[in-house]
């Protein structure tokens, strides 16, 4: 599994910690920025990561900003993307099992790093359950038309 990750300046510390956490597990991570001390507007980063996902550059994405809110709002504006703003492990699992979210959004100023890493693990471990959940996800995607 390959992961794509991006943050604005408000999420850059969590991003670095998540990259280390995943790399230590042998998981390949593509870092779409921003880098420390480089301010970035979260809609720009969200767009880059989401378009990277749609181009098949990685399997699942993670976006971090100060709250996770701006990233999730922006990511969900990209056609074809389902981004979940998550602050607990149960929601992280459900965002995959039920909603088949391709992008996990976290807030560095909201969620401490230990919990954030557990959320990332729960998200990556989970699998979409298909069936009635796939039907509902399809209905979500048809709302865009
Ligand atoms: C940046 O200051 C902050 O607004 C951003 O990281 C995020 O929290 C927006 O939702």
């Amino acid at each position: 599994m390959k992961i794509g990750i991006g943050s604005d300046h408000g999420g850059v510390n969590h991003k670095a910690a998540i990259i280390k956490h995943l790399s230590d597990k042998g998981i390949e991570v593509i870092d779409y920025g921003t880098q420390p001390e480089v301010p970035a507007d979260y809609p720009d980063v969200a767009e880059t990561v989401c378009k990277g996902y749609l181009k098949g550059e990685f399997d699942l994405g993670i976006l971090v900003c100060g709250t996770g809110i701006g990233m999730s709002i922006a990511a969900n504006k990209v056609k074809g993307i389902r981004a979940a703003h998550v602050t607990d492990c149960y929601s992280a699992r459900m965002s995959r099992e039920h909603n088949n979210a391709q992008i996990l959004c976290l807030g560095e100023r909201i969620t401490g790093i230990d919990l954030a890493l557990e959320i990332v693990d729960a998200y990556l471990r989970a699998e979409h359950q298909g069936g009635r959940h796939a039907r509902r996800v399809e209905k979500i995607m048809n709302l865009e038309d």
Side-chain angles (χ1 to χ4, degrees):
M1 174 181 287
K2 196 187 291 185
I3 303 303
I5 191 167
S7 78
D8 70 354
H9 49 281
V12 77
N13 298 308
H14 270 26
K15 176 167 71 64
I18 292 166
I19 291 171
K20 181 178 183 325
H21 177 72
L22 296 179
S23 301
D24 286 350
K25 289 171 180 271
I27 296 173
E28 188 180 346
V29 185
I30 304 175
D31 182 0
Y32 289 86
T34 189
Q35 300 310 323
E37 317 301 332
V38 183
D41 292 341
Y42 58 81
D44 297 336
V45 181
E47 181 183 22
T48 301
V49 170
C50 290
K51 290 191 171 167
Y53 171 81
L54 294 171
K55 283 188 264 179
E57 294 172 2
F58 55 86
D59 302 302
L60 289 172
I62 300 171
L63 290 170
V64 193
C65 63
T67 60
I69 296 170
M71 283 294 194
S72 63
I73 292 173
N76 279 306
K77 294 277 287 181
V78 179
K79 190 173 171 60
I81 291 297
R82 293 175 300 282
H85 176 215
V86 167
T87 57
D88 66 276
C89 293
Y90 177 76
S91 299
R93 178 160 69 85
M94 285 299 128
S95 75
R96 294 283 302 132
E97 291 187 358
H98 287 195
N99 315 117
N100 204 10
Q102 316 105 319
I103 305 286
L104 173 71
C105 299
L106 298 168
E108 179 172 317
R109 298 174 191 154
I110 305 299
T111 305
I113 189 56
D114 290 352
L115 176 56
L117 295 179
E118 286 193 32
I119 287 171
V120 167
D121 288 344
Y123 174 74
L124 298 185
R125 248 193 331 265
E127 289 180 10
H128 183 51
Q129 290 181 342
R132 66 186 186 280
H133 302 296
R135 182 183 72 241
R136 291 162 186 163
V137 168
E138 193 182 336
K139 287 187 178 185
I140 293 174
M141 302 325 283
N142 287 339
L143 288 172
E144 295 177 339
D145 295 333

